[in-house]
Amino acid sequence: MKKAILALSISALALSLGGVASASQVSSTTSAVTPATVTVTFSPANGEKPPIKPQDVDVPLGMGSEYYMEGSNWMLLYGSNVIKLTGNKVTVIGYGTAQVEAYKSNGAKLGVYTFIVKR
C-alpha cells in the first residue's frame, strides 16, 4: 500500500514539474498611455455676477495633475475616488465624475465645480 501511494505521489510530482517546464513564456505588450481629459464646469450660484461666469473647459491633465479653483472655502460633494481635495487644489486620482462646492469668504455659496475625468 505504501509503495502504491509513493508511486502515485512520484508520478504527480513528475507531472507537476513537467507542466512547469513545458509552460510557454508569457509575452507582455504595453499599450500607449494617453493623458486623461478632464472637463471642468463651474456653475455660479444664483445671483452671482461676473467675473465669475459659467465655464466649460477641457483640460488635458494626467493622473496626479493639479487644478486650482476660485473661492475661499471648498467642500467635496462626491467623487472622492476621482479627485483629492486639498484647499483650493484638486488632484486627479481616478476616472469618473466629482463635484466640489465653492464658497465666498462670508460663507455664501459661490458655485459648484464639476470634474468629469475620462480616459
Side-chain angles (χ1 to χ4, degrees), residues 38-57:
V38 182
T39 302
V40 181
T41 305
F42 179 76
S43 303
N46 290 340
E48 280 303 307
K49 304 206 177 3
I52 302 295
K53 59 183 177 196
Q55 54 187 336
D56 289 340
V57 182

Side-chain angles (χ1 to χ4, degrees), residues 63-101:
M63 289 297 137
S65 296
E66 300 169 346
Y67 182 84
Y68 292 89
M69 300 177 294
E70 293 189 31
S72 295
N73 294 302
W74 304 267
M75 182 174 68
L76 181 61
L77 299 176
Y78 65 88
S80 60
N81 60 333
V82 177
I83 61 171
K84 177 182 167 190
L85 180 62
T86 310
N88 73 327
K89 179 178 76 172
V90 168
T91 306
V92 178
I93 61 171
Y95 298 101
T97 302
Q99 279 195 334
V100 176
E101 199 161 47

Side-chain angles (χ1 to χ4, degrees), residues 15-24:
L15 284 175
S16 65
L17 289 176
V20 171
S22 67
S24 61

